[in-house]
Amino acid sequence: MSLSVHVKKKMGDFLLDIDLEHPDGVTGLLGASGCGKSMTLKCIAGIERPDEGRIVLNGRVLFDSEKKINLKPQEREVGYLFQNYALFPNMTVEKNILCGLCREKEKAKRRDRLEEVLAVMGLADLRKRYPYQLSGGQQQRTALARMLVSDPKLLLLDEPFSALDAYLREQLQTQVRLILERFGKDVLMVSHSRDEVYYLCNRTAIMSQGRVLNMGSTKEIFADPGSRTAAVLTGCKNIASAKKTGPYEIYVPEWGIHLVTKMPVGDSVCAVGLRAHYFHPKAKENVFPVEYVAERAEPFETRILFRYVSQKAGTPDIWWRVPKDRSPQEMVKQLGISSQNVLLLYPE
């Protein structure tokens, strides 16, 4: 499968300017609220009309402003799962699902497809219930079933877990992953949760202020986010301005330290990121004296705040996350971090 999206849409002072190529699998659109993630999905689905540009799915043009092509949503063979699931409250589970088969005229095929999806989604015993009688997870599975029953070429998931509590969210992430693997569907999923994207998506596109900053394999994006925005979105807690001082060295004025890097330093480097989990008192590289500030106990980790001895006054404390069973009895005198864990960040 292939999806190509190159569109622009102006909304007041906000400009959506998307250049996105999705070859196959599950791609996550990761970005802060208001960056244009959901609007991108709506343009692909045909719910919103871009001002200009082109959208092509599997070689089939869905939208082309120059050629005056703008297929209706029901003609695009795209399934869209809304944040609130958009179930019809006056219809049972099976009737909601049958809405996804409105274009199938043969009763036998409709019934067979319904039974198959009910079984796969674990909804057979709930078929006569109404949405208000379902839990949040059951509502989500019903909405997914209604979408999957029509056999769409592409699934668009708009923050599918945002309405769920943390425990149910984790359960359903596992279920949804298994469902997507079973149906073999290509997916574009919007999220502001790095954990969701890392678990469910083999590719990630970082979005900010209406555009895609960078895109690649999820593991590569998290290992090397490339920009300050991407570093924040992928969970990096320690970010500071930096400048190049050598082919494999940078200086961080706020912290008063030079850091050796594994990756070659580009001339335009502007910041550095250090993930909180990667500090170690026995590290061999980038070792500097530190001062304890405070700590906060979390369910399975301890968050220790410290400062470099050379750090400028008024700059943010640095985070060090330690598993509870490895938390030091008293603060160590120095900490280091491997050169391969020094994230070089460049202008967006």
Side-chain angles (χ1 to χ4, degrees), residues 153-196:
K153 298 295 185 289
L154 173 71
L155 305 183
L156 304 175
L157 309 183
D158 192 352
E159 304 219 29
F161 308 101
S162 61
L164 307 173
D165 61 57
Y167 175 72
L168 185 56
R169 188 183 306 128
E170 291 182 5
Q171 281 189 315
L172 286 175
Q173 284 173 4
T174 302
Q175 291 179 20
V176 168
R177 180 171 178 170
L178 293 173
I179 289 166
L180 295 178
E181 288 174 354
R182 175 162 184 174
F183 279 86
K185 295 297 182 183
D186 292 296
V187 181
L188 207 57
M189 186 184 87
V190 157
S191 180
H192 61 263
S193 167
R194 64 181 185 274
D195 295 335
E196 286 176 10

Side-chain angles (χ1 to χ4, degrees), residues 211-254:
R211 61 192 181 96
V212 175
L213 295 183
N214 56 335
M215 182 173 178
S217 92
T218 296
K219 288 185 178 180
E220 289 174 357
I221 290 290
F222 275 71
D224 184 17
S227 68
R228 187 185 287 261
T229 295
V232 170
L233 289 171
T234 57
C236 187
K237 300 300 183 185
N238 306 304
I239 300 174
S241 298
K243 59 184 179 180
K244 179 178 180 177
T245 51
Y248 292 90
E249 184 185 85
I250 56 173
Y251 176 60
V252 189
E254 291 179 28

Side-chain angles (χ1 to χ4, degrees), residues 52-180:
E52 61 180 272
R54 201 163 187 260
I55 302 172
V56 182
L57 176 62
N58 290 344
R60 183 168 173 250
V61 178
L62 307 184
F63 174 81
D64 190 316
S65 57
E66 288 188 4
K67 296 181 179 179
K68 310 298 182 185
I69 297 173
N70 185 26
L71 298 188
K72 296 177 182 178
Q74 58 268 32
E75 297 173 332
R76 298 194 176 201
E77 297 184 285
V78 169
Y80 192 110
L81 182 66
F82 294 88
Q83 291 181 29
N84 61 359
Y85 312 139
L87 296 174
F88 297 108
N90 60 332
M91 292 185 181
T92 61
V93 166
E94 67 177 6
K95 286 185 177 179
N96 262 285
I97 295 172
L98 282 169
C99 287
L101 286 168
C102 59
R103 300 182 72 185
E104 177 57 65
K105 303 306 178 186
E106 292 187 33
K107 276 192 174 183
K109 287 186 178 180
R110 285 166 58 88
R111 180 55 55 183
D112 289 346
R113 189 68 177 148
L114 171 66
E115 295 301 328
E116 178 190 359
V117 172
L118 282 170
V120 171
M121 304 296 282
L123 295 168
D125 294 339
L126 305 173
R127 63 196 307 153
K128 298 299 181 183
R129 292 192 186 180
Y130 290 87
Y132 75 89
Q133 297 173 310
L134 304 176
S135 67
Q138 291 165 345
Q139 288 181 26
Q140 187 195 59
R141 279 187 283 140
T142 301
L144 273 170
R146 183 179 62 188
M147 182 173 60
L148 289 167
V149 77
S150 63
D151 195 25
K153 298 295 185 289
L154 173 71
L155 305 183
L156 304 175
L157 309 183
D158 192 352
E159 304 219 29
F161 308 101
S162 61
L164 307 173
D165 61 57
Y167 175 72
L168 185 56
R169 188 183 306 128
E170 291 182 5
Q171 281 189 315
L172 286 175
Q173 284 173 4
T174 302
Q175 291 179 20
V176 168
R177 180 171 178 170
L178 293 173
I179 289 166
L180 295 178

Side-chain angles (χ1 to χ4, degrees), residues 187-297:
V187 181
L188 207 57
M189 186 184 87
V190 157
S191 180
H192 61 263
S193 167
R194 64 181 185 274
D195 295 335
E196 286 176 10
V197 168
Y198 195 85
Y199 179 63
L200 289 168
C201 305
N202 60 300
R203 290 173 62 80
T204 297
I206 299 293
M207 283 192 64
S208 177
Q209 298 180 340
R211 61 192 181 96
V212 175
L213 295 183
N214 56 335
M215 182 173 178
S217 92
T218 296
K219 288 185 178 180
E220 289 174 357
I221 290 290
F222 275 71
D224 184 17
S227 68
R228 187 185 287 261
T229 295
V232 170
L233 289 171
T234 57
C236 187
K237 300 300 183 185
N238 306 304
I239 300 174
S241 298
K243 59 184 179 180
K244 179 178 180 177
T245 51
Y248 292 90
E249 184 185 85
I250 56 173
Y251 176 60
V252 189
E254 291 179 28
W255 300 337
I257 60 173
H258 287 81
L259 291 169
V260 176
T261 69
K262 180 77 170 179
M263 297 293 291
V265 181
D267 292 339
S268 61
V269 69
C270 61
V272 64
L274 304 179
R275 295 197 185 276
H277 291 92
Y278 288 151
F279 292 103
H280 200 284
K282 295 183 180 179
K284 305 296 185 184
E285 300 176 292
N286 297 316
V287 179
F288 302 98
V290 297
E291 298 174 331
Y292 173 85
V293 176
E295 66 183 69
R296 174 177 171 176

